[in-house]
Amino acid sequence: VNIGGINIPMSQFASRLELIDKENTVVLYCTSGIRSSHAAKILLQNGFSKVFNLKNGIVQLTIP
């Protein structure tokens, strides 16, 4: 599911941080929230400050 923004596979995430503007608010999401939580930690370690992770992932937003 893509709700907009930039899609960066986790396998490429650490090497593609230049695609993300440090001045913007960043909302990360994946299916379950595990990979996006890891990605959020990478951003915070690299000087990003406005970082949010969608807890429990995109499945939380899925309407039955």
Side-chain angles (χ1 to χ4, degrees), residues 4 6 8-10 14 17 19-21 24 28 30 36 44 46 48-51 55 60-61 63:
I6 303 170
I8 304 173
M10 196 63 208
L17 297 182
L19 296 176
I20 306 168
D21 186 347
N24 286 341
L28 299 156
C30 66
S36 57
L44 292 169
N46 282 277
F48 289 78
S49 60
K50 296 179 271 184
V51 178
K55 185 178 179 182
Q60 287 294 109
L61 300 179
I63 300 172

Side-chain angles (χ1 to χ4, degrees), residues 8-50:
I8 304 173
M10 196 63 208
S11 61
Q12 301 171 11
F13 191 77
S15 65
R16 308 224 25 221
L17 297 182
E18 76 281 353
L19 296 176
I20 306 168
D21 186 347
K22 284 186 179 184
E23 301 303 317
N24 286 341
T25 298
V26 179
V27 178
L28 299 156
Y29 68 92
C30 66
T31 302
S32 66
I34 295 169
R35 287 170 294 167
S36 57
S37 176
H38 180 67
K41 289 176 186 173
I42 292 171
L43 290 181
L44 292 169
Q45 291 169 349
N46 282 277
F48 289 78
S49 60
K50 296 179 271 184

